[in-house]
């Protein structure tokens, strides 16, 4: 079987990234013209890297600071995803949660100081085998693989009380392409590995690349997770779809006006011509 796409946006070129950014800007312009229709709910932002590197998964540190300032001035409450419950306030007000995928070291350098400044909680989804150093992300060449957080650093960050590290599989394989046994190992195995390393229970699972089907939702529930996060567009509203929580990408091309619109529903629907799910589920062979 040919290799499935690896990460949401990692292999797209800058040209494709800019074209997508233009489509998002158009989408937001239409949303404004239509009177900014949006439903209240919890919007979960999905970041990967915060870095000056020319990497489609990296938001520049100065842009990230600008985005945090926009959130602060928006008045939106930033909630801790691990404390999410069936809460009526999620239905009635716009709230925000911050997530960072893959456990890159630049989270410590650039994101953490901003979170501390504002006492905002965040969740970082880590790939156990990558944190162990036994697996590398294959969308980076060996000469340009970013540094990753190690378990000591994660434990030290958790002690400060704002950030939690939660499982994002063992090896970042695309789960729907695996046998059920293999998918179970990636899901339940990463729960055990992260819990052993951090010395506490974990509750949230992040589907690699945002790919999942009903099968993965059941496996994540069976493994004892409270919730699973994917990459569908839109706000989360009660009754929550616990094993398919929606997330909105925070993109390196998001200028202030685009980012501001994302927070209030400007990108709750897929951009024109894109499927409802940010990443189509590959068929099992
Ligand atoms: Zn990932």
């Amino acid at each position: 079987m040919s290799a499935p796409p690896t990460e949401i946006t990692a292999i797209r070129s800058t040209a494709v990234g800019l074209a997508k950014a233009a489509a998002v800007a158009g989408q937001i312009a239409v949303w404004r013209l239509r009177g900014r229709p949006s439903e209240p709910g919890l919007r979960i932002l999905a970041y990967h890297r915060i870095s000056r590197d020319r990497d489609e998964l990296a938001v520049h540190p100065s842009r990230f600071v600008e985005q945090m300032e926009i959130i602060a001035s928006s008045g939106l409450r930033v909630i801790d995803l691990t404390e999410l419950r069936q809460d009526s306030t999620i239905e009635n007000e716009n709230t925000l949660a911050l997530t960072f995928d893959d456990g890159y070291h630049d989270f410590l350098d650039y994101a953490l100081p901003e979170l501390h400044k504002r006492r905002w909680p965040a969740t970082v989804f880590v790939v156990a085998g990558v944190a162990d150093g036994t697996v590398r992300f294959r969308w980076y060449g060996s000469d340009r693989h970013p540094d990753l957080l190690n378990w000591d650093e994660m434990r030290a960050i958790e002690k400060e009380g704002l950030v939690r590290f939660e499982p994002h599989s063992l090896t970042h394989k695309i789960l729907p392409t695996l046998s059920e046994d293999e998918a179970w190992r990636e899901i339940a195995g990463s729960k055990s590995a992260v819990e052993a390393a951090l010395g506490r229970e974990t509750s949230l699972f992040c589907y690699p690349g945002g790919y999942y089907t009903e099968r993965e939702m059941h496996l994540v529930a069976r493994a004892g997770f409270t919730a699973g996060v994917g990459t569908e567009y839109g706000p989360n509203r009660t009754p929550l779809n616990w094993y398919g929580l929606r997330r909105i990408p925070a993109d390196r091309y998001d200028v202030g006006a685009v980012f501001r619109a994302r927070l209030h529903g400007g990108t709750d629907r897929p951009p024109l011509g894109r499927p409802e799910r940010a990443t189509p589920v590959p068929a099992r062979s």
Side-chain angles (χ1 to χ4, degrees):
M1 176 185 111
S2 65
T6 47
E7 185 61 291
I8 308 168
T9 51
I11 54 174
R12 82 180 183 211
S13 68
T14 302
V16 173
L18 288 168
K20 185 173 162 250
V24 170
Q27 175 191 21
I28 289 169
V30 171
W31 174 73
R32 285 205 187 96
L33 280 173
R34 293 177 57 211
R36 303 169 188 247
S38 65
E39 293 179 313
L42 165 65
R43 289 184 179 80
I44 306 172
L45 284 179
Y47 284 96
H48 285 86
R49 302 186 61 201
I50 313 299
S51 166
R52 293 184 175 82
D53 287 358
R54 279 180 55 112
D55 176 348
E56 290 298 307
L57 290 176
V59 172
H60 192 281
S62 63
R63 181 152 283 176
F64 181 74
V65 169
E66 180 193 13
Q67 294 178 349
M68 295 301 103
E69 285 166 357
I70 289 170
I71 293 172
S73 64
S74 74
L76 290 173
R77 192 158 57 93
V78 179
I79 71 160
D80 184 344
L81 212 47
T82 61
E83 290 177 5
L84 186 61
R85 304 287 179 267
Q86 283 291 5
D87 176 355
S88 60
T89 60
I90 287 187
E91 185 69 10
N92 300 327
E93 64 166 329
N94 281 330
T95 52
L96 205 61
L98 303 174
T99 67
F100 298 80
D101 286 10
D102 301 341
Y104 299 107
H105 194 275
D106 46 51
F107 171 82
L108 175 58
D109 305 323
Y110 297 113
L112 195 58
E114 291 300 312
L115 300 175
H116 270 288
K117 202 189 290 181
R118 301 179 170 87
R119 303 300 299 162
W120 283 345
T123 309
V124 180
F125 292 106
V126 294
V127 179
V130 177
D132 283 342
T134 53
V135 181
R136 304 288 266 177
F137 292 127
R138 55 190 170 132
W139 53 90
Y140 291 111
S142 56
D143 56 330
R144 56 184 287 268
H145 200 293
D147 290 341
L148 297 148
L149 293 165
N150 63 41
W151 296 117
D152 282 340
E153 289 165 329
M154 290 185 233
R155 281 188 286 266
I157 293 169
E158 285 211 342
K159 271 204 189 117
E160 294 164 356
L162 276 184
V163 176
R164 294 247 305 196
F165 296 89
E166 297 283 313
H168 186 31
S169 82
L170 282 178
T171 66
H172 211 283
K173 289 201 182 81
I174 305 304
L175 300 177
T177 68
L178 305 179
S179 71
E180 182 158 336
D181 282 353
E182 289 172 312
W184 172 253
R185 217 166 19 249
E186 288 283 333
I187 294 166
S190 67
K191 191 172 199 295
S192 310
V194 174
E195 291 181 350
L198 299 181
R200 60 159 179 83
E201 280 196 30
T202 58
S203 59
L204 303 174
F205 184 79
C206 178
Y207 301 102
Y211 295 103
Y212 65 96
T213 65
E214 288 284 324
R215 184 189 74 173
E216 283 70 38
M217 295 168 85
H218 286 301
L219 293 177
V220 168
R222 205 207 309 162
F225 288 103
T226 312
V229 301
T231 53
E232 274 95 344
Y233 299 87
N236 296 281
R237 293 165 53 78
T238 48
L240 286 169
N241 182 13
W242 284 97
Y243 296 100
L245 291 178
R246 296 164 177 273
R247 289 195 301 168
I248 292 167
D251 196 276
R252 73 188 261 107
Y253 301 104
D254 285 357
V255 294
V258 169
F259 186 78
R260 204 170 284 113
R262 283 199 194 281
L263 302 183
H264 296 282
T267 57
D268 281 354
R269 306 242 176 280
L272 211 61
R274 292 179 71 84
E276 170 68 21
R277 194 184 284 247
T279 46
V281 175
R284 204 152 35 239
S285 60

